[in-house]
Amino acid sequence: MRLGFLLPLASALSAAAIGQSSCVSFDTSKTAFPVVSGGKASPILVGADDWAGVQRAANDFKTDISRVTGKTPQLQNVSTTLTDPFKGVTTPIIIGTLGKSSLIKKIVDQSKIDVSSLTGKWESYVAQQITQPINAYVIIGSDKRGTIYGLYELSEQFGVSPWYWWADVPVVTHNSLFLTGTCQHGPPTIKYRGIFLNDEQPGLQSWAQEKFTNGTGAPFNSKFYGNLFELLLRLKANYLWPGMWQSKIEVYKFAMDDPQNQPLADLYGIVMGTSHQEPMARSTPNEWNIVGHGDWNFTTNAANISNYWTDGVKRAKPYETMYTLGMRGSGDLPLEEETNIALLEKVVDAQRQIFSNVYNTSDVTQIPQLWCLCASKDGMRVPDDVVLLWADDNWGNIRRFPIQNERNRTGGAGVYYHFDYVGDPRNYKWITSTQVSKVYEQMSLAHERGADKVWIVNVGDLKPYELNTEFFISLGYNITRFAPNNLDQYVSKWATREFQLPAKSDEIAAIVANVTRWNARRKPEMLNTTIYSLTDYREADTVLAAWKNTFDRSKAIYDSLPSKTKAAYFELVHHAVSASYINQNTWISAGLNNLYASQARLSTNNLADQVQALFESDYDLEDQYHKLLSGKWNHILDQTHIGYYYWQQPMANTMPAVNRIQARKEALAGAMRISLEGSRGAWPGDNPYQCSLGYNCGPPSLPQLDPFVPKQTRYIDVAAGGPNSFTFTVSSNVPWTKLSLAKGSISPKAPEQRIEVGVDWSKVPSGTSTAAITITGTTTASAKTTVVVYLTVVKTAVPSTFKGFVEGDGGVAIEANHASRNKSANGIQWTLLPGYGKTDSAVTPLPGLGNTKFAVGAGPSLEYDFYTFNSKGGSVTLTSYLAPSLNANGNDRPLAFAVQIDQETPQSVAYVGAAPSGSLPAGWTGLEGPTAVNIIKATTTHKVAPGAHTLKIWMIEPAVVLQRLVIDTGNVRPSYLGPPESIRV
């Protein structure tokens, strides 16, 4: 039996709103408060002196009730100067902010409602029924956003998805609507939670240009931002870095493009910032290139740059702003290295003096400031009140967490994370490729280690990263509601909310998990024709079959949906499934085309046609998206993604190169072509893959079979070598082979047939045996061609008392979550991270507190029982597959674990290259580096004789994420994913 991993307990996720306690009902009761009942809507009251943003959100609340029930409440701005502000009002919903709304003050004073949980708190709210001074339901926030979040939380529970506009999720309608009990939320886990619109050309900008301008204005104007700010607040976000890159029309400048942008953000309640490379609330270099004077060089042009920054701070001062400090070179390049530390300190001192001057204060510590660091600078002075924002490696692996002596800084720390990226070795910004489980693992570590002041994530064009974006913000809003054992449940609840198919929600969650896991194996922009093995382990076939299965399941759901829900499902799920399947099919088909051409197979041409059709269908799918809902999302998927030549996006999608053979000319070796599993060769005749010299110098042989090979057959392909048809027969010289075909026919219209060769093990003698399988082809002219293919089999057996994994096909492959035993130490245990792996799930030690460390052989352990029949000279090679996490525990504590087989001395394995704290190891981001292949392989050698063994994995450091284990006993062949998991008895 598989081990049940210990999982931390977590609060159950509500069905009504993801992750929050429900206080909405659609059925009446004696204790329920009527929002809409008997065709009548309760009025909504908001204090006339409350925040304008609260009054605006109250109007959204009114509209949401109307969307759900068809009844529109009366919304009144109430002045408490009235003798009786509730005169003539029955069962109102009263909205307001503690300390701002005099209406709420009157309610608190007269009702004696307990607001101690709100006083002085950040972004908190309470919603409950009162009876004095009037029977009412009150929604009270500790501050502006607290009130707004309370409203939008209830709207979501009513049936209005945060994505009702941005992903066209239909509103769930009800005739009646009631509020029950108390809903409340204290201060969020992370103080500032936001997104960065980045790499936004050609998709988001071209779309916004068409939808929000007359074709000549700046695309991201206040019309655009009104929609975005509302979405952020509905998601419980509060922070935004606006986009910054050049559009087709002009460069993008948040404050200059539309004078309403800054005041609108403040009215809504969005804290504005600027990206890691844009200091002092200015869009640099875009604004600098228009209003700046001289070079962007603080060494030679400090006065002009300081004046430029001063103007930016003056412009932002009236509004809630988080200022980015520091300075980058033009184009996001580092400053000159020889003066880096001293110059940066000088820059920050100048910036702090600007704050003092503009805000007219000697104490600038209350002005929100951050400094985004890609790598640490030894000896650099950073003001204690400034948030240290640590970037990930651009691929979702956080570079650094606060060390122990940094956790008492008043400014705290944060994380800049990526779902989208432009840079070496390739961009990835077309489609979703980040796993929820990975985000949880990395950001949970950030929270545990004290990086809890600011979380911001690069979401590119925002679409199609909707689910990832919401998960990131939800995690920051209340991380205590999440644990490894409810991540899938979160996605299921999300699916139920968006598509109202509770019976299919788990299925949708599994589909989404497949899309992100398989795209994370290697970003779609980094695929080529030979990533997945075309010959070994049937890897390419298996990958493609899995994609097709997922596509078929998604299409079945899509086809079953009512018309009002189809657009949302297409945008949020089915497009990503379909586009990813087409993309992967294109590359694998092109790889097979190239291989078949070298084998002189007529089906080369069929594959060339297939690649062409797939390439065109990629555009057809994009066009389908753009034509949804009368073109609402036209241009949003303009991003090119096929045919990268270097790191930057191609200017046009380019079909992978394909080959064709002359279909009217027969191959030199004749009409029949024979190719085998495990070989790039083809018989009869020569090609470069049949032996070291490229000649027809060896008999064709299939990979060896034994009773414990997961796939219990090998295949032989019989193919046409030109225009001439032929028939063929298949026979074996031994009785124990099982052939799927005894005869067949090949023609230009049907140019391929596959023979599956199996074994009847009951008829095979012990030890090694060989079968000769003869394929004889006969053309219409009675010309015969014969090819003999050899299959060697080894009949092995394990003792009946053994339980565990058994060597097959030259090795033992084990998914890390399939341990035989899981032993804890000091309350820490290896814990399942569902779906976090290239092929299955992963495990990591939890709790992952940074101060926890074990001596080799003393920590929590995993044990895997396995049995071998062979070894390479008495030794085996163990390859541990690990997520490409960085040495975030500090230079003196690199990520490490220990491996041990049987009673040998455990071997410590530190698998991440050394680098200065916060920097990246050499080769980390190369085309075949850990980020590109999304794995690190750690190899150890062990003395192992044939027989039963136990492999132990010991925890040394936290934050190690183990995915797979492969023991090579002599015949593990190259492949991208590694051998399929071994048989377990």
Side-chain angles (χ1 to χ4, degrees):
M1 295 179 62
R2 293 181 177 179
L3 175 71
F5 276 84
L6 178 70
L7 294 168
L9 297 176
S11 302
L13 298 174
S14 167
I18 304 177
Q20 307 301 320
S21 299
S22 175
C23 51
V24 171
S25 172
F26 307 108
D27 300 313
T28 186
S29 73
K30 292 182 180 180
T31 58
F33 181 90
V35 179
V36 173
S37 180
K40 180 182 177 182
S42 293
I44 300 172
L45 309 182
V46 61
D49 55 354
D50 211 329
W51 297 100
V54 169
Q55 297 182 40
R56 191 211 62 77
N59 190 66
D60 281 353
F61 186 68
K62 177 193 79 170
T63 303
D64 289 343
I65 293 171
S66 179
R67 289 183 175 117
V68 172
T69 66
K71 304 299 179 182
T72 303
Q74 182 181 11
L75 174 61
Q76 301 178 34
N77 280 74
V78 177
S79 171
T80 52
T81 60
L82 298 173
T83 304
D84 183 4
F86 308 118
K87 184 177 181 180
V89 176
T90 304
T91 60
I93 300 170
I94 302 172
I95 297 165
T97 307
L98 192 68
K100 178 67 174 175
S101 167
S102 53
L103 179 63
I104 292 300
K105 185 178 187 304
K106 183 179 289 288
I107 289 291
V108 171
D109 290 346
Q110 295 184 11
S111 70
K112 305 304 180 182
I113 184 174
D114 183 6
V115 292
S116 59
S117 64
L118 302 179
T119 305
K121 297 298 193 298
W122 178 264
E123 296 179 350
S124 303
Y125 68 83
V126 62
Q128 69 178 71
Q129 188 172 358
I130 59 171
T131 56
Q132 293 295 330
I134 186 174
N135 181 28
Y137 197 88
V138 295
I139 304 164
I140 305 174
S142 64
D143 52 21
K144 175 167 63 176
R145 280 187 295 274
T147 308
I148 293 170
Y149 291 158
L151 293 173
Y152 284 140
E153 173 62 31
L154 293 178
S155 285
E156 183 182 345
Q157 295 191 26
F158 291 162
V160 182
S161 166
W163 299 95
Y164 79 94
W165 190 88
W166 280 93
D168 305 296
V169 177
V171 172
V172 183
T173 58
H174 298 275
N175 292 326
S176 300
L177 196 57
F178 300 91
L179 291 164
T180 60
T182 299
C183 263
Q184 60 185 13
H185 197 285
T189 304
I190 307 302
K191 187 171 186 179
Y192 295 99
R193 311 161 304 283
I195 67 171
F196 177 22
L197 296 178
N198 195 25
D199 315 321
E200 63 277 6
Q201 175 63 23
L204 190 67
Q205 283 191 357
S206 298
W207 168 77
Q209 190 77 50
E210 178 177 291
K211 303 304 178 185
F212 299 108
T213 77
N214 58 8
T216 59
F220 297 148
N221 55 26
S222 54
K223 294 178 182 178
F224 166 83
Y225 277 117
N227 289 288
L228 182 64
F229 294 155
E230 181 189 330
L231 171 69
L232 292 177
L233 292 171
R234 286 182 183 268
L235 294 176
K236 317 300 191 307
N238 61 7
Y239 184 44
L240 176 67
W241 288 358
M244 55 177 290
W245 293 114
Q246 186 168 353
S247 73
K248 296 176 182 177
I249 306 299
E250 58 181 306
V251 292
Y252 173 53
K253 311 164 294 298
F254 176 75
M256 293 177 66
D257 283 343
D258 186 339
Q260 294 303 310
N261 281 346
Q262 278 184 301
L264 187 72
D266 196 65
L267 182 148
Y268 270 78
I270 298 298
V271 181
M272 289 305 301
T274 47
S275 74
H276 59 294
Q277 69 173 73
E278 300 177 286
M280 305 298 276
R282 302 219 68 161
S283 178
T284 307
N286 300 344
E287 291 188 49
W288 175 260
N289 292 338
I290 296 172
V291 301
H293 300 283
D295 294 332
W296 183 252
N297 186 316
F298 200 79
T299 301
T300 61
N301 198 26
N304 283 325
I305 292 174
S306 293
N307 290 337
Y308 170 77
W309 286 338
T310 298
D311 291 342
V313 175
K314 288 179 178 178
R315 186 176 64 189
K317 179 185 175 184
Y319 314 117
E320 199 172 2
T321 303
M322 169 83 74
Y323 293 96
T324 297
L325 300 187
M327 185 177 184
R328 295 281 287 172
S330 182
D332 197 17
L333 297 174
L335 297 179
E336 53 269 33
E337 289 296 329
E338 64 273 12
T339 59
N340 219 351
I341 294 176
L343 178 58
L344 282 172
E345 290 180 346
K346 185 177 179 181
V347 164
V348 171
D349 287 344
Q351 291 168 339
R352 304 267 283 184
Q353 185 60 51
I354 290 170
F355 291 140
S356 181
N357 296 341
V358 172
Y359 281 84
N360 192 28
T361 179
S362 59
D363 180 12
V364 299
T365 62
Q366 301 307 305
I367 300 170
Q369 304 158 57
L370 65 79
W371 195 347
C372 186
L373 301 169
C374 293
S376 65
K377 304 294 182 184
D378 292 337
M380 183 183 295
R381 294 181 294 106
V382 180
D384 193 66
D385 58 285
V386 174
V387 180
L388 292 180
L389 191 73
W390 287 99
D392 65 4
D393 63 353
N394 304 314
W395 298 76
N397 307 295
I398 299 174
R399 297 170 184 252
R400 188 183 185 281
F401 300 112
I403 57 178
Q404 200 66 39
N405 63 8
E406 295 171 339
R407 296 183 188 176
N408 293 325
R409 296 181 66 260
T410 57
V415 175
Y416 168 33
Y417 205 73
H418 285 75
F419 295 155
D420 164 288
Y421 172 62
V422 168
D424 287 329
R426 293 277 170 82
N427 302 344
Y428 66 91
K429 55 177 182 168
W430 169 54
I431 208 162
T432 183
S433 59
T434 301
Q435 296 174 269
V436 163
S437 49
K438 181 183 181 76
V439 176
Y440 170 80
E441 183 264 332
Q442 286 287 291
M443 300 312 296
S444 294
L445 286 173
H447 172 247
E448 288 174 351
R449 310 292 177 83
D452 56 6
K453 186 61 70 71
V454 177
W455 284 5
I456 191 157
V457 59
N458 183 334
V459 299
D461 294 325
L462 182 61
K463 297 175 74 70
Y465 301 115
E466 296 96 335
L467 171 59
N468 297 73
T469 300
E470 182 169 358
F471 178 76
F472 184 90
I473 298 300
S474 297
L475 199 62
Y477 187 61
N478 189 351
I479 201 170
T480 65
R481 293 185 180 271
F482 294 86
N485 64 339
N486 67 15
L487 300 181
D488 290 343
Q489 189 183 0
Y490 174 90
V491 182
S492 294
K493 298 296 184 185
W494 170 85
T496 296
R497 185 193 70 191
E498 307 302 59
F499 312 122
Q500 295 302 302
L501 290 173
K504 292 289 185 180
S505 291
D506 288 348
E507 173 84 345
I508 293 170
I511 288 168
V512 170
N514 283 347
V515 171
T516 53
R517 177 168 66 246
W518 296 340
N519 279 337
R521 288 170 171 172
R522 193 176 182 98
K523 305 292 187 183
E525 292 85 347
M526 301 188 72
L527 292 175
N528 62 46
T529 59
T530 58
I531 293 297
Y532 298 108
S533 177
L534 303 173
T535 57
D536 285 303
Y537 303 119
R538 306 196 188 193
E539 185 174 63
D541 291 346
T542 301
V543 166
L544 203 53
W547 271 117
K548 184 182 186 305
N549 176 266
T550 296
F551 168 79
D552 289 343
R553 290 157 57 197
S554 181
K555 186 175 186 300
I557 293 172
Y558 177 73
D559 290 343
S560 71
L561 290 169
S563 57
K564 67 177 182 178
T565 310
K566 282 184 180 290
Y569 186 78
F570 186 82
E571 293 172 46
L572 293 171
V573 178
H574 193 54
H575 171 266
V577 177
S578 305
S580 300
Y581 173 42
I582 289 170
N583 189 54
Q584 189 67 80
N585 199 353
T586 299
W587 287 106
I588 288 178
S589 296
L592 290 171
N593 164 271
N594 300 161
L595 174 61
Y596 286 13
S598 74
Q599 296 172 337
R601 293 162 72 164
L602 181 62
S603 52
T604 298
N605 297 347
N606 301 69
L607 284 164
D609 294 339
Q610 180 171 311
V611 172
Q612 176 72 47
L614 288 165
F615 183 67
E616 294 302 325
S617 67
D618 174 87
Y619 176 76
D620 292 338
L621 190 69
E622 178 184 313
D623 190 53
Q624 180 182 349
Y625 199 122
H626 288 164
K627 289 177 177 175
L628 281 176
L629 305 170
S630 302
K632 178 179 178 179
W633 299 109
N634 191 32
H635 294 299
I636 199 70
L637 290 179
D638 278 354
Q639 180 60 57
T640 54
H641 49 277
I642 305 174
Y644 271 70
Y645 302 104
Y646 68 120
W647 68 268
Q648 184 57 288
Q649 64 194 13
M651 292 297 100
N653 287 327
T654 306
M655 190 181 82
V658 295
N659 294 286
R660 290 186 178 273
I661 67 170
Q662 289 181 334
R664 294 175 294 167
K665 182 176 181 177
E666 188 171 270
L668 292 178
M672 185 173 73
R673 310 299 300 133
I674 300 296
S675 58
L676 313 178
E677 180 173 354
S679 173
R680 295 176 66 89
W683 291 264
D686 304 326
N687 77 19
Y689 307 109
Q690 288 164 211
C691 66
S692 60
L693 298 177
Y695 304 125
N696 190 6
C697 55
S701 298
L702 290 164
Q704 181 175 290
L705 263 179
D706 62 66
F708 298 101
V709 174
K711 177 73 173 176
Q712 276 289 293
T713 62
R714 303 299 192 190
Y715 68 76
I716 301 170
D717 283 343
V718 183
N724 296 318
S725 300
F726 64 91
T727 60
F728 66 90
T729 60
V730 189
S731 62
S732 173
N733 69 333
V734 294
W736 44 259
T737 53
K738 297 190 295 186
L739 304 174
S740 64
L741 291 174
K743 60 183 179 180
S745 61
I746 299 293
S747 69
K749 290 185 177 180
E752 300 268 336
Q753 287 205 53
R754 176 163 288 184
I755 305 164
E756 294 284 354
V757 182
V759 175
D760 183 346
W761 292 105
S762 67
K763 298 178 181 179
V764 179
S766 297
T768 301
S769 304
T770 300
I773 300 158
T774 302
I775 303 102
T776 301
T778 305
T779 67
T780 54
S782 297
K784 292 187 176 182
T785 303
T786 297
V787 175
V788 179
V789 176
Y790 294 92
L791 171 65
T792 299
V793 301
V794 181
K795 189 173 183 178
T796 54
V798 296
S800 60
T801 56
F802 175 77
K803 304 296 182 184
F805 292 94
V806 182
E807 176 193 335
D809 209 4
V812 184
I814 304 171
E815 298 295 341
N817 59 311
H818 295 163
S820 304
R821 289 166 295 282
N822 184 358
K823 299 180 179 180
S824 63
N826 294 350
I828 297 175
Q829 189 166 20
W830 289 89
T831 303
L832 176 68
L833 293 173
Y836 183 14
K838 284 191 170 188
T839 51
D840 201 309
S841 299
V843 293
T844 191
L846 289 179
L849 300 175
N851 58 358
T852 302
K853 181 179 181 178
F854 289 93
V856 175
S861 64
L862 296 168
E863 296 184 357
Y864 303 86
D865 295 331
F866 68 98
Y867 197 97
T868 63
F869 305 103
N870 304 283
S871 62
K872 299 181 293 184
S875 297
V876 298
T877 300
L878 169 67
T879 301
S880 302
Y881 290 59
L882 300 120
S885 305
L886 286 158
N887 286 329
N889 297 328
N891 274 332
D892 58 332
R893 291 179 53 187
L895 289 182
F897 65 105
V899 296
Q900 176 186 10
I901 294 182
D902 299 332
Q903 300 307 310
E904 70 176 359
T905 302
Q907 299 182 44
S908 177
V909 182
Y911 54 95
V912 179
S917 179
S919 297
L920 301 177
W924 188 258
T925 58
L927 272 172
E928 297 302 323
T931 55
V933 301
N934 200 24
I935 208 76
I936 296 179
K937 296 180 182 179
T939 302
T940 51
T941 302
H942 306 263
K943 293 289 185 182
V944 172
H949 305 280
T950 297
L951 166 64
K952 294 182 181 179
I953 303 295
W954 296 94
M955 175 191 170
I956 297 176
E957 287 285 348
V960 171
V961 178
L962 179 67
Q963 296 185 6
R964 302 196 84 212
L965 297 157
V966 176
I967 301 165
D968 185 357
T969 59
N971 193 37
V972 171
R973 301 181 293 283
S975 63
Y976 189 70
L977 301 175
E981 188 172 33
S982 297
I983 291 173
R984 192 177 190 180
V985 298

